[in-house]
PDB file of all heavy atoms in Angstrom:
ATOM      1  N   TRP A   1       0.836  -1.200   0.000  1.00 93.00           N
ATOM      2  CA  TRP A   1       0.000   0.000   0.000  1.00 93.00           C
ATOM      3  C   TRP A   1       0.874   1.255   0.000  1.00 93.00           C
ATOM      4  O   TRP A   1       0.586   2.220  -0.708  1.00 93.00           O
ATOM      5  CB  TRP A   1      -0.907  -0.043   1.215  1.00 93.00           C
ATOM      6  CG  TRP A   1      -1.905   1.048   1.301  1.00 93.00           C
ATOM      7  CD1 TRP A   1      -1.935   2.047   2.204  1.00 93.00           C
ATOM      8  CD2 TRP A   1      -3.022   1.268   0.430  1.00 93.00           C
ATOM      9  NE1 TRP A   1      -2.994   2.871   1.970  1.00 93.00           N
ATOM     10  CE2 TRP A   1      -3.680   2.413   0.884  1.00 93.00           C
ATOM     11  CE3 TRP A   1      -3.518   0.605  -0.674  1.00 93.00           C
ATOM     12  CZ2 TRP A   1      -4.808   2.911   0.264  1.00 93.00           C
ATOM     13  CZ3 TRP A   1      -4.649   1.105  -1.290  1.00 93.00           C
ATOM     14  CH2 TRP A   1      -5.278   2.237  -0.825  1.00 93.00           C
ATOM     15  N   ASN A   2       1.944   1.250   0.774  1.00 94.00           N
ATOM     16  CA  ASN A   2       2.858   2.387   0.832  1.00 94.00           C
ATOM     17  C   ASN A   2       3.515   2.631  -0.525  1.00 94.00           C
ATOM     18  O   ASN A   2       3.585   3.769  -1.002  1.00 94.00           O
ATOM     19  CB  ASN A   2       3.919   2.133   1.904  1.00 94.00           C
ATOM     20  CG  ASN A   2       4.811   3.326   2.128  1.00 94.00           C
ATOM     21  OD1 ASN A   2       4.467   4.450   1.771  1.00 94.00           O
ATOM     22  ND2 ASN A   2       5.957   3.086   2.705  1.00 94.00           N
ATOM     23  N   ARG A   3       3.985   1.578  -1.167  1.00 93.00           N
ATOM     24  CA  ARG A   3       4.632   1.712  -2.474  1.00 93.00           C
ATOM     25  C   ARG A   3       3.639   2.230  -3.515  1.00 93.00           C
ATOM     26  O   ARG A   3       3.966   3.091  -4.336  1.00 93.00           O
ATOM     27  CB  ARG A   3       5.218   0.368  -2.896  1.00 93.00           C
ATOM     28  CG  ARG A   3       6.015   0.421  -4.154  1.00 93.00           C
ATOM     29  CD  ARG A   3       6.751  -0.878  -4.453  1.00 93.00           C
ATOM     30  NE  ARG A   3       5.942  -2.083  -4.278  1.00 93.00           N
ATOM     31  CZ  ARG A   3       6.096  -2.963  -3.280  1.00 93.00           C
ATOM     32  NH1 ARG A   3       7.006  -2.768  -2.350  1.00 93.00           N
ATOM     33  NH2 ARG A   3       5.329  -4.031  -3.202  1.00 93.00           N
ATOM     34  N   THR A   4       2.404   1.737  -3.470  1.00 94.00           N
ATOM     35  CA  THR A   4       1.387   2.180  -4.425  1.00 94.00           C
ATOM     36  C   THR A   4       1.062   3.661  -4.245  1.00 94.00           C
ATOM     37  O   THR A   4       0.925   4.397  -5.222  1.00 94.00           O
ATOM     38  CB  THR A   4       0.119   1.336  -4.258  1.00 94.00           C
ATOM     39  OG1 THR A   4       0.447  -0.041  -4.399  1.00 94.00           O
ATOM     40  CG2 THR A   4      -0.936   1.705  -5.273  1.00 94.00           C
ATOM     41  N   LEU A   5       0.944   4.098  -3.000  1.00 95.00           N
ATOM     42  CA  LEU A   5       0.635   5.513  -2.758  1.00 95.00           C
ATOM     43  C   LEU A   5       1.775   6.427  -3.193  1.00 95.00           C
ATOM     44  O   LEU A   5       1.533   7.511  -3.746  1.00 95.00           O
ATOM     45  CB  LEU A   5       0.315   5.727  -1.283  1.00 95.00           C
ATOM     46  CG  LEU A   5      -1.027   5.174  -0.819  1.00 95.00           C
ATOM     47  CD1 LEU A   5      -1.193   5.387   0.676  1.00 95.00           C
ATOM     48  CD2 LEU A   5      -2.172   5.800  -1.572  1.00 95.00           C
ATOM     49  N   TRP A   6       3.025   6.010  -2.968  1.00 94.00           N
ATOM     50  CA  TRP A   6       4.149   6.831  -3.405  1.00 94.00           C
ATOM     51  C   TRP A   6       4.234   6.888  -4.924  1.00 94.00           C
ATOM     52  O   TRP A   6       4.633   7.907  -5.491  1.00 94.00           O
ATOM     53  CB  TRP A   6       5.455   6.322  -2.812  1.00 94.00           C
ATOM     54  CG  TRP A   6       5.696   6.866  -1.441  1.00 94.00           C
ATOM     55  CD1 TRP A   6       5.654   6.179  -0.279  1.00 94.00           C
ATOM     56  CD2 TRP A   6       5.979   8.223  -1.100  1.00 94.00           C
ATOM     57  NE1 TRP A   6       5.896   7.021   0.775  1.00 94.00           N
ATOM     58  CE2 TRP A   6       6.106   8.283   0.303  1.00 94.00           C
ATOM     59  CE3 TRP A   6       6.142   9.386  -1.829  1.00 94.00           C
ATOM     60  CZ2 TRP A   6       6.384   9.462   0.976  1.00 94.00           C
ATOM     61  CZ3 TRP A   6       6.420  10.557  -1.158  1.00 94.00           C
ATOM     62  CH2 TRP A   6       6.546  10.588   0.222  1.00 94.00           C
ATOM     63  N   GLN A   7       3.868   5.813  -5.597  1.00 95.00           N
ATOM     64  CA  GLN A   7       3.882   5.831  -7.057  1.00 95.00           C
ATOM     65  C   GLN A   7       2.758   6.705  -7.603  1.00 95.00           C
ATOM     66  O   GLN A   7       2.880   7.272  -8.687  1.00 95.00           O
ATOM     67  CB  GLN A   7       3.743   4.404  -7.604  1.00 95.00           C
ATOM     68  CG  GLN A   7       4.975   3.565  -7.385  1.00 95.00           C
ATOM     69  CD  GLN A   7       4.775   2.120  -7.791  1.00 95.00           C
ATOM     70  OE1 GLN A   7       3.671   1.693  -8.085  1.00 95.00           O
ATOM     71  NE2 GLN A   7       5.859   1.367  -7.793  1.00 95.00           N
ATOM     72  N   ALA A   8       1.678   6.841  -6.854  1.00 95.00           N
ATOM     73  CA  ALA A   8       0.557   7.664  -7.301  1.00 95.00           C
ATOM     74  C   ALA A   8       0.758   9.139  -6.967  1.00 95.00           C
ATOM     75  O   ALA A   8       0.027   9.984  -7.485  1.00 95.00           O
ATOM     76  CB  ALA A   8      -0.742   7.168  -6.675  1.00 95.00           C
ATOM     77  N   ALA A   9       1.721   9.453  -6.127  1.00 96.00           N
ATOM     78  CA  ALA A   9       1.909  10.837  -5.701  1.00 96.00           C
ATOM     79  C   ALA A   9       2.363  11.735  -6.854  1.00 96.00           C
ATOM     80  O   ALA A   9       1.881  12.857  -6.994  1.00 96.00           O
ATOM     81  CB  ALA A   9       2.919  10.900  -4.562  1.00 96.00           C
ATOM     82  N   ALA A  10       3.279  11.260  -7.686  1.00 94.00           N
ATOM     83  CA  ALA A  10       3.793  12.083  -8.788  1.00 94.00           C
ATOM     84  C   ALA A  10       2.691  12.445  -9.801  1.00 94.00           C
ATOM     85  O   ALA A  10       2.576  13.623 -10.174  1.00 94.00           O
ATOM     86  CB  ALA A  10       4.953  11.381  -9.478  1.00 94.00           C
ATOM     87  N   PRO A  11       1.858  11.502 -10.261  1.00 95.00           N
ATOM     88  CA  PRO A  11       0.786  11.908 -11.172  1.00 95.00           C
ATOM     89  C   PRO A  11      -0.211  12.860 -10.518  1.00 95.00           C
ATOM     90  O   PRO A  11      -0.724  13.776 -11.189  1.00 95.00           O
ATOM     91  CB  PRO A  11       0.099  10.594 -11.556  1.00 95.00           C
ATOM     92  CG  PRO A  11       1.101   9.536 -11.293  1.00 95.00           C
ATOM     93  CD  PRO A  11       1.944  10.045 -10.176  1.00 95.00           C
ATOM     94  N   CYS A  12      -0.473  12.696  -9.229  1.00 96.00           N
ATOM     95  CA  CYS A  12      -1.399  13.603  -8.552  1.00 96.00           C
ATOM     96  C   CYS A  12      -0.840  15.017  -8.483  1.00 96.00           C
ATOM     97  O   CYS A  12      -1.566  15.989  -8.682  1.00 96.00           O
ATOM     98  CB  CYS A  12      -1.718  13.082  -7.149  1.00 96.00           C
ATOM     99  SG  CYS A  12      -2.729  11.606  -7.147  1.00 96.00           S
ATOM    100  N   VAL A  13       0.443  15.140  -8.203  1.00 96.00           N
ATOM    101  CA  VAL A  13       1.079  16.465  -8.163  1.00 96.00           C
ATOM    102  C   VAL A  13       1.072  17.081  -9.562  1.00 96.00           C
ATOM    103  O   VAL A  13       0.825  18.284  -9.716  1.00 96.00           O
ATOM    104  CB  VAL A  13       2.511  16.358  -7.596  1.00 96.00           C
ATOM    105  CG1 VAL A  13       3.285  17.637  -7.806  1.00 96.00           C
ATOM    106  CG2 VAL A  13       2.458  16.001  -6.128  1.00 96.00           C
ATOM    107  N   ALA A  14       1.316  16.275 -10.584  1.00 96.00           N
ATOM    108  CA  ALA A  14       1.304  16.790 -11.958  1.00 96.00           C
ATOM    109  C   ALA A  14      -0.089  17.293 -12.335  1.00 96.00           C
ATOM    110  O   ALA A  14      -0.226  18.376 -12.934  1.00 96.00           O
ATOM    111  CB  ALA A  14       1.765  15.711 -12.928  1.00 96.00           C
ATOM    112  N   VAL A  15      -1.119  16.551 -11.984  1.00 97.00           N
ATOM    113  CA  VAL A  15      -2.494  16.983 -12.282  1.00 97.00           C
ATOM    114  C   VAL A  15      -2.818  18.255 -11.512  1.00 97.00           C
ATOM    115  O   VAL A  15      -3.440  19.186 -12.054  1.00 97.00           O
ATOM    116  CB  VAL A  15      -3.497  15.856 -11.951  1.00 97.00           C
ATOM    117  CG1 VAL A  15      -4.918  16.356 -11.959  1.00 97.00           C
ATOM    118  CG2 VAL A  15      -3.329  14.708 -12.932  1.00 97.00           C
ATOM    119  N   MET A  16      -2.400  18.338 -10.251  1.00 96.00           N
ATOM    120  CA  MET A  16      -2.650  19.532  -9.449  1.00 96.00           C
ATOM    121  C   MET A  16      -1.975  20.761 -10.066  1.00 96.00           C
ATOM    122  O   MET A  16      -2.579  21.833 -10.160  1.00 96.00           O
ATOM    123  CB  MET A  16      -2.144  19.321  -8.026  1.00 96.00           C
ATOM    124  CG  MET A  16      -2.348  20.533  -7.142  1.00 96.00           C
ATOM    125  SD  MET A  16      -1.327  20.560  -5.690  1.00 96.00           S
ATOM    126  CE  MET A  16       0.308  20.611  -6.365  1.00 96.00           C
ATOM    127  N   LEU A  17      -0.718  20.605 -10.499  1.00 96.00           N
ATOM    128  CA  LEU A  17      -0.009  21.738 -11.101  1.00 96.00           C
ATOM    129  C   LEU A  17      -0.647  22.163 -12.416  1.00 96.00           C
ATOM    130  O   LEU A  17      -0.767  23.364 -12.695  1.00 96.00           O
ATOM    131  CB  LEU A  17       1.454  21.381 -11.307  1.00 96.00           C
ATOM    132  CG  LEU A  17       2.290  21.257 -10.027  1.00 96.00           C
ATOM    133  CD1 LEU A  17       3.686  20.773 -10.358  1.00 96.00           C
ATOM    134  CD2 LEU A  17       2.322  22.578  -9.295  1.00 96.00           C
ATOM    135  N   LEU A  18      -1.058  21.196 -13.226  1.00 96.00           N
ATOM    136  CA  LEU A  18      -1.714  21.539 -14.486  1.00 96.00           C
ATOM    137  C   LEU A  18      -3.029  22.270 -14.257  1.00 96.00           C
ATOM    138  O   LEU A  18      -3.320  23.282 -14.909  1.00 96.00           O
ATOM    139  CB  LEU A  18      -1.952  20.285 -15.320  1.00 96.00           C
ATOM    140  CG  LEU A  18      -0.712  19.695 -15.990  1.00 96.00           C
ATOM    141  CD1 LEU A  18      -1.048  18.352 -16.632  1.00 96.00           C
ATOM    142  CD2 LEU A  18      -0.184  20.651 -17.028  1.00 96.00           C
ATOM    143  N   LEU A  19      -3.844  21.776 -13.335  1.00 94.00           N
ATOM    144  CA  LEU A  19      -5.115  22.443 -13.063  1.00 94.00           C
ATOM    145  C   LEU A  19      -4.905  23.810 -12.417  1.00 94.00           C
ATOM    146  O   LEU A  19      -5.652  24.758 -12.709  1.00 94.00           O
ATOM    147  CB  LEU A  19      -5.989  21.561 -12.171  1.00 94.00           C
ATOM    148  CG  LEU A  19      -6.539  20.306 -12.835  1.00 94.00           C
ATOM    149  CD1 LEU A  19      -7.299  19.460 -11.830  1.00 94.00           C
ATOM    150  CD2 LEU A  19      -7.424  20.658 -14.012  1.00 94.00           C
ATOM    151  N   GLY A  20      -3.894  23.925 -11.558  1.00 93.00           N
ATOM    152  CA  GLY A  20      -3.599  25.229 -10.964  1.00 93.00           C
ATOM    153  C   GLY A  20      -3.158  26.242 -12.006  1.00 93.00           C
ATOM    154  O   GLY A  20      -3.572  27.402 -11.983  1.00 93.00           O
ATOM    155  N   ALA A  21      -2.301  25.813 -12.939  1.00 93.00           N
ATOM    156  CA  ALA A  21      -1.866  26.720 -14.007  1.00 93.00           C
ATOM    157  C   ALA A  21      -3.024  27.076 -14.922  1.00 93.00           C
ATOM    158  O   ALA A  21      -3.143  28.223 -15.379  1.00 93.00           O
ATOM    159  CB  ALA A  21      -0.742  26.069 -14.807  1.00 93.00           C
ATOM    160  N   TRP A  22      -3.894  26.116 -15.168  1.00 91.00           N
ATOM    161  CA  TRP A  22      -5.037  26.376 -16.042  1.00 91.00           C
ATOM    162  C   TRP A  22      -5.971  27.405 -15.407  1.00 91.00           C
ATOM    163  O   TRP A  22      -6.415  28.342 -16.074  1.00 91.00           O
ATOM    164  CB  TRP A  22      -5.775  25.077 -16.318  1.00 91.00           C
ATOM    165  CG  TRP A  22      -6.989  25.225 -17.189  1.00 91.00           C
ATOM    166  CD1 TRP A  22      -7.146  26.023 -18.269  1.00 91.00           C
ATOM    167  CD2 TRP A  22      -8.220  24.535 -17.037  1.00 91.00           C
ATOM    168  NE1 TRP A  22      -8.383  25.875 -18.809  1.00 91.00           N
ATOM    169  CE2 TRP A  22      -9.072  24.957 -18.063  1.00 91.00           C
ATOM    170  CE3 TRP A  22      -8.682  23.597 -16.134  1.00 91.00           C
ATOM    171  CZ2 TRP A  22     -10.364  24.468 -18.212  1.00 91.00           C
ATOM    172  CZ3 TRP A  22      -9.957  23.100 -16.291  1.00 91.00           C
ATOM    173  CH2 TRP A  22     -10.786  23.537 -17.315  1.00 91.00           C
ATOM    174  N   THR A  23      -6.253  27.268 -14.114  1.00 86.00           N
ATOM    175  CA  THR A  23      -7.142  28.226 -13.470  1.00 86.00           C
ATOM    176  C   THR A  23      -6.470  29.589 -13.298  1.00 86.00           C
ATOM    177  O   THR A  23      -7.142  30.612 -13.289  1.00 86.00           O
ATOM    178  CB  THR A  23      -7.597  27.717 -12.085  1.00 86.00           C
ATOM    179  OG1 THR A  23      -6.458  27.434 -11.297  1.00 86.00           O
ATOM    180  CG2 THR A  23      -8.454  26.480 -12.226  1.00 86.00           C
ATOM    181  N   ARG A  24      -5.154  29.611 -13.177  1.00 86.00           N
ATOM    182  CA  ARG A  24      -4.444  30.877 -13.009  1.00 86.00           C
ATOM    183  C   ARG A  24      -4.404  31.681 -14.305  1.00 86.00           C
ATOM    184  O   ARG A  24      -4.584  32.884 -14.310  1.00 86.00           O
ATOM    185  CB  ARG A  24      -3.017  30.592 -12.514  1.00 86.00           C
ATOM    186  CG  ARG A  24      -2.128  31.781 -12.432  1.00 86.00           C
ATOM    187  CD  ARG A  24      -2.496  32.642 -11.252  1.00 86.00           C
ATOM    188  NE  ARG A  24      -1.542  33.712 -11.111  1.00 86.00           N
ATOM    189  CZ  ARG A  24      -1.893  34.983 -11.014  1.00 86.00           C
ATOM    190  NH1 ARG A  24      -3.156  35.317 -11.012  1.00 86.00           N
ATOM    191  NH2 ARG A  24      -0.978  35.904 -10.894  1.00 86.00           N
ATOM    192  N   PHE A  25      -4.148  30.996 -15.409  1.00 87.00           N
ATOM    193  CA  PHE A  25      -3.957  31.700 -16.674  1.00 87.00           C
ATOM    194  C   PHE A  25      -5.181  31.705 -17.578  1.00 87.00           C
ATOM    195  O   PHE A  25      -5.141  32.295 -18.645  1.00 87.00           O
ATOM    196  CB  PHE A  25      -2.766  31.103 -17.426  1.00 87.00           C
ATOM    197  CG  PHE A  25      -1.480  31.259 -16.669  1.00 87.00           C
ATOM    198  CD1 PHE A  25      -0.787  30.148 -16.229  1.00 87.00           C
ATOM    199  CD2 PHE A  25      -0.966  32.512 -16.381  1.00 87.00           C
ATOM    200  CE1 PHE A  25       0.394  30.280 -15.521  1.00 87.00           C
ATOM    201  CE2 PHE A  25       0.213  32.659 -15.679  1.00 87.00           C
ATOM    202  CZ  PHE A  25       0.900  31.541 -15.243  1.00 87.00           C
TER     203      PHE A  25
END
């Protein structure tokens, strides 16, 4: 479970940054 969550963290951060940039600009 720990390994799966750490592997999912990078795509979640990428989606968050993309949506944040989209709402900002």
Side-chain angles (χ1 to χ4, degrees):
W1 185 248
N2 186 19
R3 186 172 45 252
T4 304
L5 288 177
W6 275 110
Q7 289 174 351
C12 290
V13 168
V15 168
M16 179 199 62
L17 290 175
L18 286 172
L19 290 176
W22 179 39
T23 56
R24 174 74 174 128
F25 298 116

